[in-house]
Amino acid sequence: MPPGSDDGRDARVRRVFRPRFAGRLGVADVATVANAALGFCAVVAASVSPVLAARVLLLAAMVDAVDGILARRYGGSTVGPYLDSLADVASFGVAPAALVVASARTGWGGTRLLVAVAVGACVVAMAVVRLGMYTADDVGNGLTEGVPTTLAGTLVAATVLSGVVDPLVVVGLGAVLAAAMVTTVPYPDLRVRDALVMGAVQALAVLAPTALDRVFPRALLAFALAYCVLGPRFYRGG
């Protein structure tokens, strides 16, 4: 056997079994993948408790903000935008839809529950469409069309954590947001300062959702609603 043949074979084996993403993903991509994993956890939590699912969903939103900060600080990878949209489908498409259905299940059954499932399916479908179009047309523009999926997920989670238990409200909100995600209404990116403030309120809503008569999730809901309604006209993004 020629000298060095074993080393060559070992090198080939290492190349075959080396993860394809090794050396290609940046630190921001790690946060993006964690965001997707949290989206799955929120879906599982929805089968146990809508409140728990809402808290996990807000945690995913915080991690989603962190990956943007890391990308600006350390640079992104070529696969970053695609990973981001795929992760957001899980965290801000499927997870909010599961939360809508879980909230409806507490008071609805039969045909009305099927309506909630249909609304949840629309939330997922419109999130997929919106994120696909965002990746194709809006990345890096500082402006995006339609209600951002992260904002939609935050609104659903903050509504549940604010103590809203009427399924009609939660399901109705899901239906409105599903339609709003695919409008052409322009939304400017949040300035870093404002994103940090929103992240702090999200963290408090996750850690102490019932403190001081639910002040933190209600403050988050007010902040998110204000941006959703007034942002396109009055907000100047960063």
Side-chain angles (χ1 to χ4, degrees):
M1 183 176 293
S5 61
D6 286 344
D7 291 341
R9 184 172 62 250
D10 290 345
R12 287 194 297 273
V13 169
R14 285 195 297 270
R15 283 198 298 271
V16 169
F17 288 99
R18 184 171 181 252
R20 187 178 181 186
F21 59 78
R24 298 185 61 188
L25 301 186
V27 62
D29 298 323
V30 175
T32 300
V33 173
N35 168 29
L38 286 169
F40 168 75
C41 291
V43 172
V44 174
S47 65
V48 178
S49 164
V51 169
L52 177 60
R55 295 171 75 180
V56 178
L57 201 162
L58 289 183
L59 183 58
M62 293 165 59
V63 174
D64 182 61
V66 167
D67 76 18
I69 293 171
L70 291 173
R72 286 190 291 270
R73 176 65 177 83
Y74 298 105
S77 67
T78 56
V79 298
Y82 303 98
L83 289 178
D84 190 60
S85 288
L86 288 169
D88 285 357
V89 167
S91 296
F92 311 118
V94 179
L99 182 52
V100 166
V101 175
S103 297
R105 194 184 297 122
T106 61
W108 283 3
T111 302
R112 289 192 296 178
L113 185 57
L114 290 178
V115 170
V117 172
V119 169
C122 288
V123 170
V124 175
M126 295 303 99
V128 169
V129 170
R130 190 208 183 280
L131 288 163
M133 297 185 74
Y134 172 82
T135 305
D137 300 328
D138 297 342
V139 171
N141 290 345
L143 194 72
T144 183
E145 292 186 350
V147 170
T149 53
T150 307
L151 177 62
T154 296
L155 282 166
V156 173
T159 297
V160 171
L161 290 180
S162 293
V164 176
V165 295
D166 187 345
L168 184 61
V169 175
V170 180
V171 174
L173 177 62
V176 170
L177 291 172
M181 282 191 284
V182 291
T183 64
T184 57
V185 177
Y187 280 85
D189 292 345
L190 284 176
R191 292 189 289 265
V192 173
R193 178 196 62 194
D194 297 334
L196 290 174
V197 171
M198 190 168 184
V201 178
Q202 285 174 324
L204 291 169
V206 170
L207 293 171
T210 60
L212 304 174
D213 195 25
R214 303 181 186 272
V215 65
F216 300 126
R218 289 176 178 174
L220 177 62
L221 180 59
F223 188 103
L225 278 174
Y227 175 66
C228 184
V229 175
L230 303 176
R233 183 175 178 85
F234 299 106
Y235 187 76
R236 297 294 177 266

